[in-house]
Amino acid sequence: MILHGYFRSSAAYRTRIALNLKGVDYDQHDIDLRTGAQRSEAFLKLNPQGLVPALEVDGTVITQSTAILEWLDETYPEPALMPADAIGRAQVRGMIGLIASDIHPLNNLRVLNALRGTFGADQDQIDAWAGGWMTPGFEALTALTAKQGKGWLHGAAPTLADCYLIPQLYSARRFNVDLRPFPELTAIEDKALAHPAFANAHPDRQPGAD
């Protein structure tokens, strides 16, 4: 199994966390987004969209982190990263969608490059843009976990929602987003980063890290 990713990519980061939680052995192939490696002919053969991550499994390639994580949970059922009940699974998917659809795409590299290149945004404006989308998302997550969480975003054990949360908090710090209003989320982060599966997935520990 080969994970094609980039150390700082939130989507690749969440995939590493899930692989580690499942105890799955995998190799990593660094796709350096800074040099445009994602647009190379070789990588586009793996993922025509030119995005990371892409997971190679026995000659087959799975793209999009949400699809990869759902495949992992179906293929390696222990430990389960989705609740056993249908309502619980729907609630976790709601949290995943909040991060993966409503926060993360608005601060990924393609969008940031467009803000800089097309609209001439400077770093302060980039930070304000990112924070403008992250902050209301974190407010909603805080409200949801107050109802659903028991130490983690949903329930008393890590779920796929936590795999999404931790990389997004990492990204928030890169854009100088104030996380002081979200102690519930940073408490989950502290617990996660003390867990080997999360700690070993951290960007600083990956191939290609600065």
Side-chain angles (χ1 to χ4, degrees), residues 134-157:
M134 290 188 198
T135 297
F138 291 152
E139 290 170 349
L141 279 173
T142 297
L144 289 170
T145 198
K147 298 177 181 179
Q148 302 171 22
K150 295 180 181 178
W152 295 87
L153 272 183
H154 187 286

PDB file of all heavy atoms in Angstrom, residues 134-157:
ATOM      1  N   MET A 134     -12.739  29.488   8.794  1.00  0.00           N
ATOM      2  CA  MET A 134     -12.483  28.517   9.855  1.00  0.00           C
ATOM      3  C   MET A 134     -13.240  28.847  11.132  1.00  0.00           C
ATOM      4  O   MET A 134     -13.796  27.956  11.779  1.00  0.00           O
ATOM      5  CB  MET A 134     -10.987  28.445  10.158  1.00  0.00           C
ATOM      6  CG  MET A 134     -10.156  27.805   9.074  1.00  0.00           C
ATOM      7  SD  MET A 134      -8.452  27.569   9.645  1.00  0.00           S
ATOM      8  CE  MET A 134      -7.608  27.348   8.083  1.00  0.00           C
ATOM      9  N   THR A 135     -13.255  30.126  11.512  1.00  0.00           N
ATOM     10  CA  THR A 135     -13.835  30.491  12.802  1.00  0.00           C
ATOM     11  C   THR A 135     -15.302  30.092  12.936  1.00  0.00           C
ATOM     12  O   THR A 135     -15.674  29.435  13.924  1.00  0.00           O
ATOM     13  CB  THR A 135     -13.635  31.996  13.064  1.00  0.00           C
ATOM     14  OG1 THR A 135     -12.226  32.270  13.132  1.00  0.00           O
ATOM     15  CG2 THR A 135     -14.288  32.421  14.367  1.00  0.00           C
ATOM     16  N   PRO A 136     -16.172  30.418  11.988  1.00  0.00           N
ATOM     17  CA  PRO A 136     -17.562  29.957  12.144  1.00  0.00           C
ATOM     18  C   PRO A 136     -17.690  28.435  12.084  1.00  0.00           C
ATOM     19  O   PRO A 136     -18.575  27.860  12.724  1.00  0.00           O
ATOM     20  CB  PRO A 136     -18.302  30.631  10.986  1.00  0.00           C
ATOM     21  CG  PRO A 136     -17.253  31.050  10.028  1.00  0.00           C
ATOM     22  CD  PRO A 136     -16.033  31.308  10.822  1.00  0.00           C
ATOM     23  N   GLY A 137     -16.804  27.787  11.342  1.00  0.00           N
ATOM     24  CA  GLY A 137     -16.821  26.325  11.326  1.00  0.00           C
ATOM     25  C   GLY A 137     -16.469  25.743  12.680  1.00  0.00           C
ATOM     26  O   GLY A 137     -17.117  24.788  13.154  1.00  0.00           O
ATOM     27  N   PHE A 138     -15.461  26.315  13.319  1.00  0.00           N
ATOM     28  CA  PHE A 138     -15.076  25.842  14.653  1.00  0.00           C
ATOM     29  C   PHE A 138     -16.173  26.148  15.678  1.00  0.00           C
ATOM     30  O   PHE A 138     -16.388  25.369  16.620  1.00  0.00           O
ATOM     31  CB  PHE A 138     -13.760  26.477  15.081  1.00  0.00           C
ATOM     32  CG  PHE A 138     -12.557  26.011  14.287  1.00  0.00           C
ATOM     33  CD1 PHE A 138     -11.457  26.842  14.133  1.00  0.00           C
ATOM     34  CD2 PHE A 138     -12.517  24.757  13.713  1.00  0.00           C
ATOM     35  CE1 PHE A 138     -10.341  26.426  13.411  1.00  0.00           C
ATOM     36  CE2 PHE A 138     -11.414  24.325  12.987  1.00  0.00           C
ATOM     37  CZ  PHE A 138     -10.323  25.169  12.838  1.00  0.00           C
ATOM     38  N   GLU A 139     -16.861  27.273  15.500  1.00  0.00           N
ATOM     39  CA  GLU A 139     -17.978  27.582  16.400  1.00  0.00           C
ATOM     40  C   GLU A 139     -19.058  26.508  16.286  1.00  0.00           C
ATOM     41  O   GLU A 139     -19.607  26.047  17.304  1.00  0.00           O
ATOM     42  CB  GLU A 139     -18.544  28.960  16.060  1.00  0.00           C
ATOM     43  CG  GLU A 139     -17.615  30.105  16.429  1.00  0.00           C
ATOM     44  CD  GLU A 139     -18.073  31.449  15.876  1.00  0.00           C
ATOM     45  OE1 GLU A 139     -18.993  31.461  15.025  1.00  0.00           O
ATOM     46  OE2 GLU A 139     -17.508  32.485  16.283  1.00  0.00           O
ATOM     47  N   ALA A 140     -19.359  26.107  15.068  1.00  0.00           N
ATOM     48  CA  ALA A 140     -20.381  25.071  14.870  1.00  0.00           C
ATOM     49  C   ALA A 140     -19.925  23.733  15.432  1.00  0.00           C
ATOM     50  O   ALA A 140     -20.713  23.009  16.072  1.00  0.00           O
ATOM     51  CB  ALA A 140     -20.709  24.941  13.388  1.00  0.00           C
ATOM     52  N   LEU A 141     -18.654  23.386  15.199  1.00  0.00           N
ATOM     53  CA  LEU A 141     -18.135  22.131  15.744  1.00  0.00           C
ATOM     54  C   LEU A 141     -18.193  22.114  17.261  1.00  0.00           C
ATOM     55  O   LEU A 141     -18.500  21.085  17.879  1.00  0.00           O
ATOM     56  CB  LEU A 141     -16.691  21.915  15.282  1.00  0.00           C
ATOM     57  CG  LEU A 141     -16.489  21.347  13.878  1.00  0.00           C
ATOM     58  CD1 LEU A 141     -15.009  21.357  13.524  1.00  0.00           C
ATOM     59  CD2 LEU A 141     -17.046  19.928  13.769  1.00  0.00           C
ATOM     60  N   THR A 142     -17.887  23.250  17.884  1.00  0.00           N
ATOM     61  CA  THR A 142     -17.952  23.334  19.345  1.00  0.00           C
ATOM     62  C   THR A 142     -19.364  23.056  19.833  1.00  0.00           C
ATOM     63  O   THR A 142     -19.566  22.314  20.807  1.00  0.00           O
ATOM     64  CB  THR A 142     -17.474  24.722  19.815  1.00  0.00           C
ATOM     65  OG1 THR A 142     -16.105  24.901  19.446  1.00  0.00           O
ATOM     66  CG2 THR A 142     -17.603  24.858  21.321  1.00  0.00           C
ATOM     67  N   ALA A 143     -20.339  23.644  19.167  1.00  0.00           N
ATOM     68  CA  ALA A 143     -21.728  23.411  19.560  1.00  0.00           C
ATOM     69  C   ALA A 143     -22.139  21.959  19.354  1.00  0.00           C
ATOM     70  O   ALA A 143     -22.833  21.363  20.196  1.00  0.00           O
ATOM     71  CB  ALA A 143     -22.648  24.339  18.769  1.00  0.00           C
ATOM     72  N   LEU A 144     -21.695  21.369  18.252  1.00  0.00           N
ATOM     73  CA  LEU A 144     -22.044  19.973  17.983  1.00  0.00           C
ATOM     74  C   LEU A 144     -21.407  19.025  18.980  1.00  0.00           C
ATOM     75  O   LEU A 144     -22.048  18.085  19.471  1.00  0.00           O
ATOM     76  CB  LEU A 144     -21.624  19.597  16.555  1.00  0.00           C
ATOM     77  CG  LEU A 144     -22.434  20.228  15.429  1.00  0.00           C
ATOM     78  CD1 LEU A 144     -21.778  19.977  14.081  1.00  0.00           C
ATOM     79  CD2 LEU A 144     -23.863  19.699  15.432  1.00  0.00           C
ATOM     80  N   THR A 145     -20.136  19.259  19.289  1.00  0.00           N
ATOM     81  CA  THR A 145     -19.458  18.324  20.200  1.00  0.00           C
ATOM     82  C   THR A 145     -19.955  18.476  21.631  1.00  0.00           C
ATOM     83  O   THR A 145     -19.872  17.528  22.428  1.00  0.00           O
ATOM     84  CB  THR A 145     -17.931  18.490  20.107  1.00  0.00           C
ATOM     85  OG1 THR A 145     -17.307  17.324  20.666  1.00  0.00           O
ATOM     86  CG2 THR A 145     -17.437  19.710  20.864  1.00  0.00           C
ATOM     87  N   ALA A 146     -20.509  19.651  21.969  1.00  0.00           N
ATOM     88  CA  ALA A 146     -21.110  19.814  23.292  1.00  0.00           C
ATOM     89  C   ALA A 146     -22.292  18.868  23.470  1.00  0.00           C
ATOM     90  O   ALA A 146     -22.571  18.395  24.580  1.00  0.00           O
ATOM     91  CB  ALA A 146     -21.557  21.257  23.486  1.00  0.00           C
ATOM     92  N   LYS A 147     -22.958  18.551  22.364  1.00  0.00           N
ATOM     93  CA  LYS A 147     -24.094  17.635  22.410  1.00  0.00           C
ATOM     94  C   LYS A 147     -23.686  16.181  22.195  1.00  0.00           C
ATOM     95  O   LYS A 147     -24.288  15.273  22.749  1.00  0.00           O
ATOM     96  CB  LYS A 147     -25.117  18.025  21.335  1.00  0.00           C
ATOM     97  CG  LYS A 147     -25.715  19.408  21.499  1.00  0.00           C
ATOM     98  CD  LYS A 147     -26.648  19.715  20.333  1.00  0.00           C
ATOM     99  CE  LYS A 147     -27.251  21.106  20.456  1.00  0.00           C
ATOM    100  NZ  LYS A 147     -28.147  21.421  19.310  1.00  0.00           N
ATOM    101  N   GLN A 148     -22.661  15.965  21.370  1.00  0.00           N
ATOM    102  CA  GLN A 148     -22.358  14.613  20.904  1.00  0.00           C
ATOM    103  C   GLN A 148     -21.069  14.031  21.483  1.00  0.00           C
ATOM    104  O   GLN A 148     -20.872  12.820  21.458  1.00  0.00           O
ATOM    105  CB  GLN A 148     -22.246  14.625  19.372  1.00  0.00           C
ATOM    106  CG  GLN A 148     -23.499  15.117  18.669  1.00  0.00           C
ATOM    107  CD  GLN A 148     -23.293  15.315  17.179  1.00  0.00           C
ATOM    108  OE1 GLN A 148     -22.381  14.742  16.578  1.00  0.00           O
ATOM    109  NE2 GLN A 148     -24.136  16.127  16.549  1.00  0.00           N
ATOM    110  N   GLY A 149     -20.179  14.879  21.961  1.00  0.00           N
ATOM    111  CA  GLY A 149     -18.869  14.413  22.370  1.00  0.00           C
ATOM    112  C   GLY A 149     -18.809  13.920  23.811  1.00  0.00           C
ATOM    113  O   GLY A 149     -19.542  14.400  24.674  1.00  0.00           O
ATOM    114  N   LYS A 150     -17.916  12.996  24.020  1.00  0.00           N
ATOM    115  CA  LYS A 150     -17.606  12.511  25.368  1.00  0.00           C
ATOM    116  C   LYS A 150     -16.091  12.372  25.481  1.00  0.00           C
ATOM    117  O   LYS A 150     -15.558  11.307  25.766  1.00  0.00           O
ATOM    118  CB  LYS A 150     -18.298  11.176  25.642  1.00  0.00           C
ATOM    119  CG  LYS A 150     -19.818  11.247  25.657  1.00  0.00           C
ATOM    120  CD  LYS A 150     -20.444   9.891  25.923  1.00  0.00           C
ATOM    121  CE  LYS A 150     -21.970   9.982  25.911  1.00  0.00           C
ATOM    122  NZ  LYS A 150     -22.597   8.626  26.126  1.00  0.00           N
ATOM    123  N   GLY A 151     -15.412  13.469  25.194  1.00  0.00           N
ATOM    124  CA  GLY A 151     -13.952  13.460  25.203  1.00  0.00           C
ATOM    125  C   GLY A 151     -13.344  13.589  23.832  1.00  0.00           C
ATOM    126  O   GLY A 151     -12.201  14.031  23.679  1.00  0.00           O
ATOM    127  N   TRP A 152     -14.106  13.182  22.798  1.00  0.00           N
ATOM    128  CA  TRP A 152     -13.718  13.375  21.409  1.00  0.00           C
ATOM    129  C   TRP A 152     -14.851  14.118  20.712  1.00  0.00           C
ATOM    130  O   TRP A 152     -15.865  14.432  21.365  1.00  0.00           O
ATOM    131  CB  TRP A 152     -13.425  12.029  20.731  1.00  0.00           C
ATOM    132  CG  TRP A 152     -12.233  11.322  21.331  1.00  0.00           C
ATOM    133  CD1 TRP A 152     -12.254  10.475  22.405  1.00  0.00           C
ATOM    134  CD2 TRP A 152     -10.865  11.436  20.924  1.00  0.00           C
ATOM    135  NE1 TRP A 152     -10.984  10.040  22.685  1.00  0.00           N
ATOM    136  CE2 TRP A 152     -10.102  10.614  21.794  1.00  0.00           C
ATOM    137  CE3 TRP A 152     -10.208  12.127  19.915  1.00  0.00           C
ATOM    138  CZ2 TRP A 152      -8.720  10.481  21.678  1.00  0.00           C
ATOM    139  CZ3 TRP A 152      -8.833  11.992  19.788  1.00  0.00           C
ATOM    140  CH2 TRP A 152      -8.103  11.178  20.664  1.00  0.00           C
ATOM    141  N   LEU A 153     -14.691  14.425  19.433  1.00  0.00           N
ATOM    142  CA  LEU A 153     -15.751  15.189  18.762  1.00  0.00           C
ATOM    143  C   LEU A 153     -17.097  14.501  18.875  1.00  0.00           C
ATOM    144  O   LEU A 153     -18.127  15.138  19.081  1.00  0.00           O
ATOM    145  CB  LEU A 153     -15.404  15.387  17.283  1.00  0.00           C
ATOM    146  CG  LEU A 153     -14.565  16.605  16.899  1.00  0.00           C
ATOM    147  CD1 LEU A 153     -14.403  16.669  15.386  1.00  0.00           C
ATOM    148  CD2 LEU A 153     -15.153  17.905  17.431  1.00  0.00           C
ATOM    149  N   HIS A 154     -17.093  13.180  18.719  1.00  0.00           N
ATOM    150  CA  HIS A 154     -18.337  12.408  18.830  1.00  0.00           C
ATOM    151  C   HIS A 154     -18.037  11.165  19.642  1.00  0.00           C
ATOM    152  O   HIS A 154     -17.294  10.281  19.197  1.00  0.00           O
ATOM    153  CB  HIS A 154     -18.860  12.029  17.443  1.00  0.00           C
ATOM    154  CG  HIS A 154     -20.215  11.383  17.471  1.00  0.00           C
ATOM    155  ND1 HIS A 154     -20.424  10.090  17.894  1.00  0.00           N
ATOM    156  CD2 HIS A 154     -21.447  11.884  17.148  1.00  0.00           C
ATOM    157  CE1 HIS A 154     -21.698   9.799  17.819  1.00  0.00           C
ATOM    158  NE2 HIS A 154     -22.346  10.868  17.364  1.00  0.00           N
ATOM    159  N   GLY A 155     -18.605  11.090  20.830  1.00  0.00           N
ATOM    160  CA  GLY A 155     -18.428   9.899  21.644  1.00  0.00           C
ATOM    161  C   GLY A 155     -17.142   9.901  22.449  1.00  0.00           C
ATOM    162  O   GLY A 155     -16.454  10.920  22.594  1.00  0.00           O
ATOM    163  N   ALA A 156     -16.816   8.701  22.954  1.00  0.00           N
ATOM    164  CA  ALA A 156     -15.704   8.552  23.895  1.00  0.00           C
ATOM    165  C   ALA A 156     -14.454   7.960  23.272  1.00  0.00           C
ATOM    166  O   ALA A 156     -13.503   7.632  23.988  1.00  0.00           O
ATOM    167  CB  ALA A 156     -16.159   7.671  25.067  1.00  0.00           C
ATOM    168  N   ALA A 157     -14.434   7.805  21.948  1.00  0.00           N
ATOM    169  CA  ALA A 157     -13.265   7.263  21.244  1.00  0.00           C
ATOM    170  C   ALA A 157     -13.108   8.011  19.932  1.00  0.00           C
ATOM    171  O   ALA A 157     -14.062   8.603  19.428  1.00  0.00           O
ATOM    172  CB  ALA A 157     -13.444   5.757  20.997  1.00  0.00           C
TER     173      ALA A 157
END
